[in-house]
Amino acid sequence: MTVADNLVAQLEAYGVEYVFGTCGHTNIALLDAIGRSSIEFVIARHEQTAAHAADGYARATGKPGVLLMHVGPGMMNAVTGVATAALDSVPLVAISGDIPSYLYGRHPHQEVNLHNDADQAAIYRPFVKRAWQVHRAEDLARFTERAFWTATSGRPGAVLLNVPMDVFSRTLPQASTPLPVQVTKPALEAADAERIAAMLAGAERPLIYIGGGLGGADGRQSLKELAEHLDIPVAHSLMAKGALPDHHPLVLGMTGFWGLELTNDYARKADVVLAIATRFAETDASSWNPAYTWSFPPSKLIQIDIDPAEIGRNYPVEIGAVADAGLAVAAIRDAVIAKPAQDRQGLRQQIGQARNGLFEASAERGRSDNFPLRPERILADLRAALPEDAILVTDVGWNKNGVAQCYPLPEEGRFITPGGASTMGFGPAAALGVQIAREDKVVVALIGDGGMSAQLPAVPLAVERGLPVIFLVMNNRAHGTISDLQSKFFGRSYGCDFTDPQGRPYSPDFAAFGRACGADGYLVESPDGLGEALRQAIERRRPAVLDVPMVNEPVPTPGHWNITDIYQGVFE
């Protein structure tokens, strides 16, 4: 067998059903082997599209996404997509073809090695968990097993297998390198769970703060039972929206830059904080300024994370536990249930007033018949039209921040967004992978015109594969969030707005582009047009592009972010 045949057999044995990527002369031997297997190759017109689609597939399934790239510009085009997955702890195995092993350093076609005798794998090393440079055909099977294990174990992430093109065509006896048959996750010791439970039960103003690493339904149920038994409010990062339903009476919502005054005030004055699977990102922590969100000390921090490097990274820790978040929460829940239930008088009412006020004010703005539409009108029409179990995949800007803040996500729904990298262009392409993984669901790529422009190749890919993704473009003819920021602090917007040679606002007709690709295209031209277009797109179950003119409004930012100090010149 060739090494390529061996590798494909190994991928099949690991349960790989899809490989996302683009072709090139360095990987066609592997593509030929894939073409004779049960694995489907999802061909993209750009490597970043393929990377985001593999990422979306992994987020929707929990299985590692697999990405195939070509040497040089191919694998460099995918950097942003692979880094986005890496920073959000998404398991992704990137396989890149490389120059022939025996021509290294002679500058063969597309070699990345201009200075310092570098290799292209070095480009990925700052963000992948590990990069393997294959030198011998005999090593690839073992490296592949290590790649899948590394991508999925501990804190998940992206890895790279860099394979010289000649290695794929070499012959080897058929080899089997299986993954571990049974894998355990690090649990929380009973004694530690009891210590944490005692601290929470004895606190006057406890808070549970959760991040995106909590995991599946069992972990969320354990969290719910823990919080309800001791009547502890729950705040969350951007990535954890939906871990508990938005309507739950103990959910405070997001902290930090996008957090309500009540949420940040409660967090700052909490005496004990149980932080689960969160890295305390800058926007969630008000640039780590103790005057706004978190104050450790005097607050005492209990931090649980699968990655030991996150324990104490940003704040001093009273108890640090390296453990699987779901198992740890279940253990603490079990210890807490043995203690008397608590009722913090008036707390749920206080939270309800603040949260209902947020949602009601947004709903009121969403009733506006102004045209172009206000962003909250778009969110309101979307919420009214979508089934409860729809999946929203957003980009950056009003689409992400608006949904995170003021979109009441149904309990059956799901919100997928780029957190660590905040990547423009993630939404259109990631939605493709999500739809492949969840073919029965309504999947909406809720994106701005900047994000759609960055990933136009997503639309023909949707058409080619018959994926009924709804690309809803919130079109304000600008990089709107940055335009607003610049206008606020510098008095004008320059270099952020799209205009024609006469200075008039300009945007492509995205609906016409969709139709040109073979998708359905809807240009919304009246306040009531969006609702009708959404209903048709959902009913038809075809790829659809909805071009929705939107007024440029600032995203509500009630919290604090250090960049405002920088622009105002008030930092030290």
Side-chain angles (χ1 to χ4, degrees):
M1 297 179 67
T2 66
V3 170
D5 289 326
N6 264 304
L7 177 55
V8 169
Q10 191 172 2
L11 296 179
E12 287 180 308
Y14 292 174
V16 173
E17 297 176 290
Y18 298 95
V19 172
F20 301 79
T22 56
C23 60
H25 69 267
T26 60
N27 66 25
I28 55 174
L30 182 58
L31 275 176
D32 177 68
I34 292 173
R36 291 180 276 106
S37 76
S38 64
I39 298 171
E40 288 190 51
F41 182 64
V42 181
I43 182 173
R45 283 170 165 76
H46 193 277
E47 291 81 3
Q48 186 177 344
T49 307
H52 287 321
D55 180 349
Y57 175 84
R59 295 187 198 224
T61 62
K63 301 194 302 183
V66 181
L67 171 68
L68 179 60
M69 305 170 293
H70 171 56
V71 69
M75 65 98 68
M76 288 190 287
N77 279 344
V79 162
T80 301
V82 178
T84 299
L87 290 169
D88 284 348
S89 303
V90 176
L92 191 147
V93 177
I95 304 171
S96 179
D98 202 350
I99 60 163
S101 59
Y102 47 84
L103 294 180
Y104 177 80
R106 299 186 67 181
H107 291 189
H109 185 53
Q110 295 184 311
E111 181 183 22
V112 181
N113 181 7
L114 190 60
H115 304 293
N116 302 317
D117 289 326
D119 59 76
Q120 67 178 16
I123 298 168
Y124 275 55
R125 287 196 170 96
F127 52 84
V128 295
K129 291 183 73 175
R130 183 165 175 183
W132 284 267
Q133 179 73 42
V134 179
H135 295 289
R136 303 188 314 145
E138 294 82 358
D139 291 332
L140 181 55
R142 180 167 57 89
F143 288 176
T144 301
E145 184 274 333
R146 289 292 83 192
F148 274 80
W149 170 253
T150 302
T152 55
S153 62
R155 178 179 182 173
V159 298
L160 174 69
L161 278 169
N162 196 64
V163 188
M165 63 178 292
D166 57 298
V167 169
F168 285 131
S169 296
R170 296 181 186 273
T171 56
L172 281 176
Q174 185 169 359
S176 176
T177 309
L179 288 167
V181 177
Q182 292 184 335
V183 178
T184 62
K185 296 179 180 179
L188 190 66
E189 294 286 344
D192 294 328
E194 179 58 40
R195 289 173 58 204
I196 294 171
M199 284 185 67
L200 292 173
E204 291 186 7
R205 191 181 169 95
L207 174 66
I208 299 173
Y209 178 59
I210 58 172
L214 178 59
D218 290 344
R220 295 193 295 271
Q221 181 62 29
S222 297
L223 172 67
K224 179 175 178 288
E225 293 170 5
L226 164 60
E228 289 176 347
H229 187 74
L230 292 183
D231 213 27
I232 301 177
V234 178
H236 61 78
S237 70
L238 167 74
M239 301 301 289
K241 181 180 174 72
L244 286 184
D246 274 327
H247 59 74
H248 193 283
L250 289 172
V251 171
L252 280 164
M254 290 191 299
T255 59
F257 184 52
W258 294 293
L260 291 172
E261 181 179 353
L262 171 68
T263 308
N264 283 323
D265 184 68
Y266 194 98
R268 188 175 64 255
K269 296 176 182 177
D271 54 350
V272 175
V273 176
L274 171 59
I276 305 163
T278 177
R279 60 190 180 91
F280 286 102
E282 182 188 9
T283 52
D284 300 321
S286 296
S287 297
W288 307 290
N289 188 321
Y292 293 95
T293 301
W294 305 108
S295 186
F296 302 110
S299 300
K300 294 181 179 180
L301 175 59
I302 304 164
Q303 189 173 5
I304 298 171
D305 204 283
I306 194 72
D307 185 352
E310 292 298 340
I311 305 294
R313 180 194 292 275
N314 285 310
Y315 293 113
V317 172
E318 187 85 5
I319 298 177
V322 178
D324 174 80
L327 296 178
V329 172
I332 298 168
R333 182 271 319 273
D334 292 344
V336 158
I337 294 297
K339 302 182 184 304
Q342 296 193 27
D343 180 5
R344 301 179 195 280
Q345 293 294 324
L347 175 62
R348 295 187 181 210
Q349 182 180 5
Q350 185 183 16
I351 293 172
Q353 288 176 345
R355 294 277 285 169
N356 290 337
L358 168 70
F359 290 128
E360 288 169 5
S362 178
E364 180 60 34
R365 292 188 290 272
R367 282 187 273 272
S368 170
D369 279 334
N370 291 348
F371 195 82
L373 295 178
R374 299 187 71 174
E376 281 157 308
R377 171 63 187 267
I378 296 175
L379 296 185
D381 285 2
L382 188 66
R383 179 67 181 84
L386 291 184
E388 296 288 289
D389 61 352
I391 303 174
L392 281 180
V393 186
T394 70
D395 222 274
V396 292
W398 237 109
N399 47 86
K400 178 182 81 171
N401 304 332
V403 171
Q405 279 182 319
C406 54
Y407 184 94
L409 188 70
E411 189 166 356
E412 300 89 340
R414 186 160 179 198
F415 170 55
I416 294 176
T417 195
S422 291
T423 305
M424 181 176 293
F426 171 85
L432 302 171
V434 173
Q435 188 73 81
I436 288 173
R438 296 287 179 259
E439 59 183 19
D440 59 322
K441 303 294 184 185
V442 173
V443 177
V444 177
L446 183 65
I447 48 188
D449 50 310
M452 188 70 252
S453 298
Q455 275 302 322
L456 295 177
V459 178
L461 196 158
V463 173
E464 287 164 350
R465 296 199 63 90
L467 301 174
V469 172
I470 298 172
F471 302 93
L472 196 163
V473 184
M474 301 172 74
N475 191 349
N476 56 14
R477 294 170 171 77
H479 294 308
T481 299
I482 306 304
S483 178
D484 291 331
L485 194 65
Q486 189 183 42
S487 296
K488 177 180 178 181
F489 290 104
F490 296 93
R492 65 168 183 160
S493 174
Y494 178 80
C496 305
D497 304 283
F498 305 125
T499 59
D500 66 13
Q502 286 72 46
R504 296 170 299 197
Y506 166 78
S507 180
D509 185 335
F510 291 107
F513 171 75
R515 290 191 293 271
C517 293
D520 293 340
Y522 302 84
L523 179 61
V524 174
E525 298 180 290
S526 68
D528 296 329
L530 174 57
E532 179 57 31
L534 280 167
R535 285 187 287 274
Q536 288 187 33
I538 292 168
E539 182 180 349
R540 295 195 68 183
R541 295 296 287 165
R542 280 179 38 79
V545 180
L546 279 63
D547 190 334
V548 188
M550 182 184 84
V551 66
N552 202 16
E553 288 187 355
V555 177
T557 52
H560 173 76
W561 193 1
N562 177 253
I563 62 169
T564 61
D565 294 337
I566 293 172
Y567 295 142
Q568 292 170 333
V570 296
F571 65 100
E572 295 181 0

